[in-house]
């Protein structure tokens, strides 16, 4: 029984390669590793399991619907937004690996409670991405990034630790709660996907070294905003959905949860865009816990991520909840979009 490949979805070549073992194996070859990174990842994967378990029972456990609160973004807070945020904070804050956290759902930096050790890492997250999908049982996700602190060690972390560019991320990942739950992460040298086996209670390696195709055949954008876009963005959408120069028209796919739209884009190629528009002059998506971590992952898989004016990973943030336009996905598709929409 102990050696049966069916213990995990990884197949006979990698039986039982759990997320934890994958991280541990890689950290072993790092002479500076103290075990803190592995411990932090363990906490994040535990939070993902707890959130995933609640998501899969959402209709039964009284967590559908809203809390009645409005968050710092001016958006309605779903009960699961709150649950996911509280889970991540409470699982990570006492561990001693992190000095400060940033969350979509919390206006200010989240400190480590007094009396508990402050570590060398900085964690930022969108606890529940695509919360508009919760009540209709469509895919949602969690996004996170990890930086090293820039303030002196020992004391509490500050806003300065959170306002770091994406190029300094040490690891980023997302969890998709879909037809199966998956955790995808990168430390910059490859992107690896792990599928959750609920019978075993573990994430098993199922997608090793994901590479985003150089070009895809789908585009993903909320086309209902067409009338609010700049003429260049309209021109690009008109171009991509028409047959051109011997190529077929691109198909349109839009789930409305960035994690799910980008998971498809990572595996199949294509492009996901949330541009600036008349209503959202800086775009809608948040730089620190949506665009940057996803840009880090997509670049590590060979793709590209741009704001329309610069590489997402080069943006130096000035505010915790700042927004950014986003063009992300297959390298050739992002280049086409920038050439047509921003020339
Ligand atoms: P969140 O649920 O964390 O607020 O994020 C929702 C985001 C993102 O996931 C998605 O791509 C986008 O909002 C969808 O926006 P529209 O409904 O404007 O298309
Ligand atoms: Mn989100
Ligand atoms: Mn969210």
């Amino acid at each position: 029984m102990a050696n049966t490949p069916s213990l995990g979805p990884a197949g006979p070549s990698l039986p039982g390669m759990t997320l934890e073992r994958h991280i541990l194996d890689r950290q072993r070859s790092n002479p500076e590793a103290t075990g803190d990174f592995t411990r932090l990842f363990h906490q994040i994967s535990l939070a993902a399991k707890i959130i995933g378990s609640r998501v899969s029972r959402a209709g039964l456990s009284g967590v559908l619907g809203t809390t009645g609160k409005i968050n710092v973004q001016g958006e309605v807070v779903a009960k699961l937004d709150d649950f996911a945020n509280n889970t991540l904070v409470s699982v990570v804050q006492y561990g001693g690996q992190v000095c400060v956290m940033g969350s979509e759902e919390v206006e200010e930096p989240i400190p480590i409670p007094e009396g508990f050790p402050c570590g060398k890492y900085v964690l930022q997250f969108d606890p529940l991405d695509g919360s508009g999908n919760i009540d209709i049982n469509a895919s949602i996700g969690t996004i996170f990034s990890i930086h090293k602190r820039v303030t002196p060690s020992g004391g509490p972390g500050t806003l300065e630790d959170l306002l770091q560019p994406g190029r300094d991320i040490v690891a980023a990942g997302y969890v998709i709660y879909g037809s199966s739950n998956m955790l995808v992460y990168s430390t910059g040298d490859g992107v690896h996907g792990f599928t959750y086996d609920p019978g075993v209670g573990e994430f098993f390696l199922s997608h090793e070294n994901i590479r985003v195709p150089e070009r895809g055949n789908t585009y993903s954008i909320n086309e209902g905003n067409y009338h609010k876009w700049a003429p260049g963005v309209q021109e690009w959408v008109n171009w991509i959905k028409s047959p051109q120069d011997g190529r077929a028209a691109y198909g349109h796919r839009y789930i409305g949860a960035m994690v799910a739209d980008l998971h498809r884009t990572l595996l199949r190629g294509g492009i996901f865009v949330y541009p600036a528009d008349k209503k959202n002059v800086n775009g809608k998506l948040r730089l620190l816990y949506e665009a940057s971590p996803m840009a880090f992952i997509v670049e590590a898989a060979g793709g590209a991520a741009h704001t329309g004016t610069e590489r997402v990973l080069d943006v130096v943030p000035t505010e915790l909840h700042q927004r950014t336009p986003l063009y992300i996905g297959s390298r050739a598709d992002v280049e086409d979009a920038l050439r047509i929409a921003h020339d």
Side-chain angles (χ1 to χ4, degrees):
M1 187 68 190
N3 290 325
T4 35
S6 62
L7 264 180
S13 60
L14 292 163
M17 176 54 90
T18 62
L19 173 63
E20 207 154 342
R21 200 180 114 201
H22 196 259
I23 288 166
L24 208 56
D25 285 356
R26 284 158 163 258
Q27 290 299 101
R28 273 205 198 101
S29 55
N30 173 0
E32 285 168 26
T34 60
D36 275 355
F37 182 79
T38 308
R39 279 188 278 276
L40 175 55
F41 241 88
H42 175 71
Q43 292 156 14
I44 294 169
S45 77
L46 174 62
K49 289 177 194 177
I50 296 171
I51 297 166
S53 163
R54 184 60 71 100
V55 166
S56 66
R57 289 179 291 113
L60 300 170
S61 52
V63 293
L64 295 183
T66 67
T67 57
K69 289 189 281 185
I70 302 289
N71 71 10
V72 57
Q73 331 279 340
E75 296 160 349
V76 172
V77 179
K79 287 184 195 163
L80 265 178
D81 281 326
D82 240 9
F83 177 83
N85 182 67
N86 295 341
T87 300
L88 272 158
V89 171
S90 64
V91 168
V92 173
Q93 70 182 344
Y94 305 114
Q97 283 75 48
V98 155
C99 64
V100 66
M101 289 179 269
S103 165
E104 180 195 348
E105 300 302 337
V106 183
E107 186 161 1
E108 300 294 336
I110 304 167
I112 301 308
E114 215 164 303
F116 288 87
C118 286
K120 61 173 180 270
Y121 290 110
V122 177
L123 178 67
Q124 315 211 45
F125 45 85
D126 175 354
L128 223 286
D129 175 64
S131 33
N133 280 357
I134 296 170
D135 290 4
I136 56 159
N137 205 356
S139 291
I140 49 182
T142 295
I143 309 171
F144 63 91
S145 74
I146 300 169
H147 281 87
K148 283 218 172 112
R149 69 183 302 171
V150 289
T151 53
S153 60
T158 70
L159 182 61
E160 194 187 338
D161 293 308
L162 294 164
L163 297 183
Q164 296 190 54
R167 61 176 178 245
D168 294 333
I169 285 175
V170 295
Y174 63 83
V175 187
I176 177 164
Y177 311 104
S179 46
S180 63
N181 292 352
M182 276 188 75
L183 189 150
V184 175
Y185 89 97
S186 177
T187 52
D189 61 343
V191 177
H192 308 290
F194 297 77
T195 301
Y196 186 64
D197 183 336
V200 183
E202 289 284 2
F203 286 100
F204 288 99
L205 182 62
S206 54
H207 296 62
E208 195 175 20
N209 204 15
I210 298 169
R211 302 293 298 167
V212 62
E214 178 63 17
R215 180 181 286 284
N217 57 14
T218 58
Y219 70 105
S220 188
I221 189 169
N222 184 344
E223 215 164 326
N225 292 331
Y226 186 92
H227 62 287
K228 295 188 233 159
W229 294 335
V233 178
Q234 293 177 332
E235 192 189 325
W236 165 71
V237 163
N238 295 339
W239 175 85
I240 201 163
K241 67 190 203 182
S242 315
Q244 299 283 341
D245 308 327
R247 69 140 171 87
Y250 276 47
H252 182 245
R253 298 282 183 278
Y254 193 70
I255 298 169
M258 184 201 193
V259 165
D261 280 312
L262 274 180
H263 185 64
R264 179 196 59 250
T265 305
L266 204 58
L267 297 182
R268 296 270 163 82
I271 183 167
F272 172 88
V273 177
Y274 210 113
D277 62 42
K278 279 186 201 147
K279 183 173 148 222
N280 303 296
V281 288
N282 296 314
K284 177 182 180 188
L285 299 170
R286 282 54 58 109
L287 176 67
L288 283 171
Y289 40 78
E290 290 182 320
S292 276
M294 287 308 204
F296 183 84
I297 292 165
V298 167
E299 280 205 6
H306 214 266
T307 67
T309 49
E310 64 183 311
R311 180 178 170 239
V312 172
L313 295 183
D314 285 337
V315 179
V316 179
T318 54
E319 285 171 38
L320 187 51
H321 298 286
Q322 88 186 54
R323 295 174 194 263
T324 180
L326 182 62
Y327 298 77
I328 185 168
S330 292
R331 191 159 285 281
D333 290 320
V334 171
E335 277 167 15
D336 284 345
L338 295 173
R339 189 183 66 250
I340 296 170
H342 284 274
D343 239 8

